[in-house]
Amino acid sequence: METERIAVVTGAGRGIGRASALALAANGFRIMVTARSRDELQAVVAEIESTGGTAMAMDDDLADPLAVDRVIGHVENTWGAVEVLVNNAGIGSSQSPLALVEFDDAFWDLTFAVNVTAPYRLTKRVLPGMLRENWGRIINIASINARVASLHGAAYTASKHALAGLTKATAKEVEGTGITANAVCPGMTATQLNDKRLEYDANRLGKSIEQLEVEASPLGRRITPAEVAFTVAFLADEKATAINGQMINVCGGRVVQ
């Protein structure tokens, strides 16, 4: 696919966000990557540019409500209206896994700020430009925990269910406009955040990390960021117009739903 469309990928310094940025760049998109880590973002930009792609980076913290205007405003002032938004930045359960009765209220608030409110604000910010062009793609990175619960991860589970609701509400509002809104629901994916979750579960269950890796999916392994990114690139394609309001599992069949 040859295109010069403009895409923004959040949480793009590593893992699923990085893989998604690379996959979209390989399809000809101009890519804005954003996250908190400047060095990681610059490495992603360098990798895209080394293959002839176009990319830029802006480090910011999406927990700050003002970050949305800073990031999207910079893209609009540099390239124009955002046509593809990949809401990938997120707070995982591994960062503070606790039983609900012991859960940290501040961590709950932070999780919702990044996992739900930031995608809401970003979507609200880019939709007017998409509506003017009668084309756009909103792609939210949810989780299989938008369908099934994660033990000792109340905030993560609840926030991903909320992101699923936001996805469906957005899809309903944009139907028939040339814009689509969908969510990708990865299973256990080989990322730094999930590494920490494996360590926690290994200690909790008395199992080895290697054993948990095998049990991660019916494939006998964790999902790779590139496998998730393949679905992101598919949803961003011109031909994906008929897919709207869907929650697409990428979990090797761990959740069949």
Side-chain angles (χ1 to χ4, degrees):
M1 178 180 67
E2 294 295 331
T3 180
E4 284 295 318
R5 292 198 183 278
I6 299 163
V8 171
V9 183
T10 70
R14 57 179 181 264
I16 292 170
R18 173 184 175 277
S20 297
L22 295 176
L24 291 171
N27 285 349
F29 289 87
R30 288 176 283 176
I31 310 294
M32 152 66 91
V33 290
T34 185
R36 290 180 298 170
S37 174
R38 179 175 301 181
D39 290 344
E40 289 179 337
L41 292 175
Q42 292 298 338
V44 175
V45 169
E47 187 168 354
I48 291 172
E49 291 179 340
S50 72
T51 59
T54 303
M56 62 179 172
M58 184 172 181
D59 57 296
D60 214 324
D61 184 355
L62 290 175
D64 177 1
L66 299 179
V68 169
D69 277 332
R70 288 194 294 264
V71 171
I72 302 304
H74 184 60
V75 177
E76 291 173 340
N77 291 335
T78 306
W79 290 336
V82 175
E83 294 160 296
V84 176
L85 171 64
V86 181
N87 284 311
N88 169 72
I91 302 286
S93 64
S94 63
Q95 291 167 263
S96 184
L98 291 168
L100 184 59
V101 295
E102 301 168 344
F103 212 82
D104 181 87
D105 291 347
F107 184 71
W108 174 279
D109 291 342
L110 177 62
T111 299
F112 269 77
V114 177
N115 292 9
V116 185
T117 304
Y120 154 72
R121 291 182 183 278
L122 284 160
T123 300
K124 183 179 180 181
R125 181 67 172 74
V126 303
L127 268 179
M130 293 180 178
L131 288 167
R132 284 193 298 271
E133 294 188 15
N134 297 311
W135 197 94
R137 300 285 187 264
I138 305 293
I139 304 169
N140 295 322
I141 307 302
S143 167
I144 58 171
N145 293 131
R147 300 185 182 278
V148 296
S150 172
L151 186 67
H152 298 169
Y156 185 73
T157 297
S159 69
K160 291 302 182 179
H161 275 71
L163 186 60
L166 175 63
T167 302
K168 295 172 186 179
T170 305
K172 188 66 177 175
E173 292 200 19
V174 302
E175 58 188 17
T177 66
I179 303 166
T180 64
N182 295 286
V184 181
C185 301
M188 292 180 65
T189 306
T191 64
Q192 288 185 21
L193 280 179
N194 193 242
D195 288 346
K196 294 179 181 178
R197 178 70 200 201
L198 280 185
E199 291 173 7
Y200 174 75
D201 285 338
N203 291 329
R204 179 176 62 85
L205 298 171
K207 294 184 176 183
S208 68
I209 289 177
E210 290 74 20
Q211 185 177 357
L212 291 176
E213 287 262 15
V214 172
E215 296 172 357
S217 79
L219 300 175
R221 60 171 176 82
R222 288 187 288 176
I223 307 304
T224 69
E227 288 171 324
V228 182
F230 172 84
T231 307
V232 171
F234 165 71
L235 290 172
D237 193 89
E238 300 281 347
K239 298 182 181 68
T241 304
I243 304 170
N244 187 36
Q246 302 306 304
M247 309 288 293
I248 301 177
N249 295 349
V250 183
C251 63
R254 182 173 179 176
V255 174
V256 181
Q257 193 176 47

